Amino acid sequence: MAVTVIVGAQWGDEGKGKLTDLLAAGADVVVRYQGGNNAGHTVVVDQEEYKLHLIPSGILYPETLCIMGDGTVIDPECLAQEYDGLTRRGISCDNLRISGNAHVIMPYHRLLDALQEDARGAASIGTTRRGIGPAYTDKTARDPIPVRMWDLLDKRLLRRRVEGQLAEKNTLLRTLYDAEPLEVEPIVEEVWGYAQGVAKHVCDTRALLFERIAAGDDIVMEGAQGTFLDLDYGTYPFVTSSHPVAGGACLGTGLGPTAIDSVLLVTKTYTTRVGSGPFPTEQDNEIGNLIRERGREYGTTTGRPRRCGWLDGVALKTAVRINGATSLGLTLLDVLDGLETVNVCTAYEIDGHRHIVVPSDASRLSEATPIYREMPGWCCDTTQVRKYEDLPQAARDYVSLLEEIAGVPASIVSVGPGREQTIRRGPL
Ligand code: IMP
């Protein structure tokens, strides 16, 4: 039995989906513990591409139990579409279980997310506009009681919740945004309609996990977004509203910290970011464009071009500590294949002081000057390599440098999107 958490080291989009898919092959249970359809995973199986936003990528394995934990937020429309889409392609969703405690993203959350972002103007966070922030805001506000997945099992209860919410939301819409008020009944009908196909999967997922742990199952906990989008440990306020870090896996499922055996920290061999916020190693130039095109760095969820830059070793070292990482999963090594030299940031200089971990006041990050170590590139194709020793020496030196900075070994190196384009090196 082992419980492994897969967590992003950067600002999301590190390739966690591929590694989750890989580990799901040997797992009994895959759990998502936070976030909602702001995430996007692309998994390629036998040349077939699957884009998943909500449902854990373990769903592609018929025997694997897939859980959406208490800490997630669920948009019933997105869930219904994803569920139907998978079923139409012959993928059974029978093994999906959804926590009744997960909060529901309602149409008014999406609307508010968009209105709030527009009102911020140039100071916008660059959210995915999927209603994530407003849904988590209501969760922490507690009153009026928001809609949770349990409430989608009882139409009268759902109506009562929506009535309570709209009494408040309509005041907000009218007074703050000069927007039309919303009506209860169309929202209840819409959400109720989407919930019908998936309601049978709603249950007490915490009890289920306790049972599976007791039975000795192998469990993979799949984080969405990344360490520096964490509400507390990210580059606040340019963060998401949940806890992508490994600690979030406990909060979002009900398992205690000692249940976790290993934490696989997934990092690209370079860095990307979508949305606003500081990004010290950003290359808003030819290098950034080259990485974007070679790495197909456009958002799975929003299609936005991602900001691209060199690997930030300061952020990597910090992420190892925040997450208690036991090993690294290095992704997209092949994207750097054509470069003559490759840079890695090993320290920041802020106000004449050198920093080797990210300062907790994220506003200082925008003043950071990265200090780089230049490494020779390998200028050859690595996409066909299957054994670590067959990688060119310069690529292995690059991996060794990242391991040295992180202080933990790279247990997985990925050289392309396919399942077979993966080099396994050691324990997670
Ligand atoms: P929200 O999660 O939609 O509220 O967006 C907050 C910030 O997190 C924005 O900068 C988004 O671009 C970013 N974000 C949210 N989800 C993802 C993701 O899955 N990958 C990368 N960035 C994300």
Side-chain angles (χ1 to χ4, degrees):
M1 191 273 299
V3 178
T4 304
V5 181
I6 300 182
V7 57
Q10 301 169 315
W11 282 281
D13 310 318
E14 296 91 351
K16 298 178 295 295
K18 169 179 163 169
L19 299 198
T20 306
D21 169 63
L22 205 75
L23 298 188
D28 303 296
V29 185
V30 178
V31 196
R32 254 197 79 175
Y33 56 84
Q34 46 70 233
N37 57 318
N38 46 348
H41 289 332
T42 307
V43 183
V44 180
V45 186
D46 297 334
Q47 323 292 324
E48 281 267 324
E49 199 172 80
Y50 296 88
K51 285 185 190 296
L52 297 169
H53 298 283
L54 262 182
I55 297 178
S57 27
I59 203 74
L60 302 176
Y61 296 95
E63 305 300 325
T64 308
L65 186 73
C66 285
I67 295 180
M68 300 180 63
D70 306 51
T72 58
V73 283
I74 298 174
D75 183 328
E77 180 178 353
C78 173
L79 180 61
Q81 279 170 359
E82 210 157 274
Y83 187 95
D84 294 344
L86 284 169
T87 317
R88 268 201 305 276
R89 289 172 80 178
I91 308 282
S92 161
C93 292
D94 286 352
N95 281 339
L96 179 66
R97 300 290 180 276
I98 304 167
S99 167
N101 286 340
H103 281 244
V104 176
I105 299 180
M106 298 292 287
Y108 42 82
H109 291 134
R110 288 196 301 260
L111 178 64
L112 279 171
D113 199 354
L115 290 170
Q116 288 165 353
E117 275 290 272
D118 288 344
R120 288 180 192 122
S124 80
I125 294 170
T127 73
T128 58
R129 296 179 178 239
R130 299 294 194 264
I132 307 295
Y136 278 114
T137 303
D138 281 352
K139 172 179 175 172
T140 46
R142 299 156 295 168
D143 174 53
I145 303 175
V147 182
R148 296 189 300 165
M149 290 305 289
W150 293 128
D151 305 328
L152 300 190
L153 307 180
D154 176 344
K155 200 170 187 183
R156 276 185 313 170
L157 193 57
L158 171 64
R159 185 174 294 111
R160 210 182 318 146
R161 299 276 186 256
V162 175
E163 281 166 356
Q165 283 295 319
L166 284 194
E168 192 189 62
K169 296 285 180 293
N170 278 339
T171 314
L172 205 68
L173 287 172
R174 260 195 315 267
T175 52
L176 263 188
Y177 301 105
D178 203 16
E180 289 293 314
L182 301 171
E183 286 174 40
V184 172
E185 224 38 56
I187 292 184
V188 170
E189 286 306 325
E190 181 189 329
V191 171
W192 183 255
Y194 288 128
Q196 291 320 291
V198 293
K200 60 178 181 286
H201 299 283
V202 176
C203 66
D204 178 345
T205 54
R206 183 178 54 181
L208 186 59
L209 265 176
F210 288 166
E211 265 172 37
R212 292 306 194 112
I213 293 242
D217 276 4
D218 281 315
I219 298 174
V220 171
M221 320 258 265
E222 172 185 15
Q225 290 85 45
T227 301
F228 293 98
L229 288 174
D230 185 275
L231 183 58
D232 281 321
Y233 300 103
T235 47
Y236 192 87
F238 302 102
V239 294
T240 193
S241 302
S242 67
H243 295 289
V245 296
C250 296
L251 298 173
T253 60
L255 292 188
T258 49
I260 296 171
D261 299 290
S262 46
V263 177
L264 177 69
L265 184 69
V266 184
T267 177
K268 285 178 179 168
T269 51
Y270 50 93
T271 310
T272 64
R273 172 161 207 177
V274 249
S276 322
F279 178 179
T281 61
E282 182 167 15
Q283 298 298 304
D284 192 9
N285 54 30
E286 273 307 295
I287 290 288
N289 294 342
L290 200 127
I291 292 176
R292 185 174 310 106
E293 293 317 312
R294 282 192 55 91
R296 294 196 288 161
E297 293 294 355
Y298 295 87
T300 315
T301 301
T302 58
R304 288 182 286 182
R306 296 178 183 144
R307 299 157 65 191
C308 298
W310 295 120
L311 187 107
D312 185 338
V314 180
L316 180 63
K317 186 191 273 296
T318 312
V320 168
R321 294 181 185 181
I322 290 174
N323 294 293
T326 49
S327 74
L328 300 180
L330 289 183
T331 59
L332 294 134
L333 181 73
D334 53 301
V335 171
L336 304 183
D337 277 357
L339 297 175
E340 293 205 342
T341 55
V342 185
N343 283 352
V344 178
C345 168
T346 53
Y348 301 151
E349 205 171 275
I350 305 174
D351 276 345
H353 294 283
R354 208 178 158 88
H355 294 257
I356 57 159
V357 289
V358 176
S360 77
D361 176 3
S363 64
R364 305 196 63 203
L365 219 60
S366 42
E367 297 151 32
T369 306
I371 298 164
Y372 289 111
R373 168 131 168 223
E374 189 182 270
M375 301 282 288
W378 39 99
C379 298
C380 62
D381 179 21
T382 59
T383 58
Q384 306 305 319
V385 175
R386 300 292 175 265
K387 288 200 218 115
Y388 191 71
E389 23 332 335
D390 293 341
L391 279 175
Q393 184 62 46
R396 279 182 283 151
D397 290 344
Y398 185 70
V399 173
S400 298
L401 174 64
L402 303 193
E403 292 180 318
E404 189 189 310
I405 290 170
V408 292
S411 56
I412 300 178
V413 179
S414 168
V415 289
R419 278 179 179 167
E420 71 292 352
Q421 291 175 298
T422 314
I423 302 168
R424 283 293 292 265
R425 290 181 69 214
L428 304 174

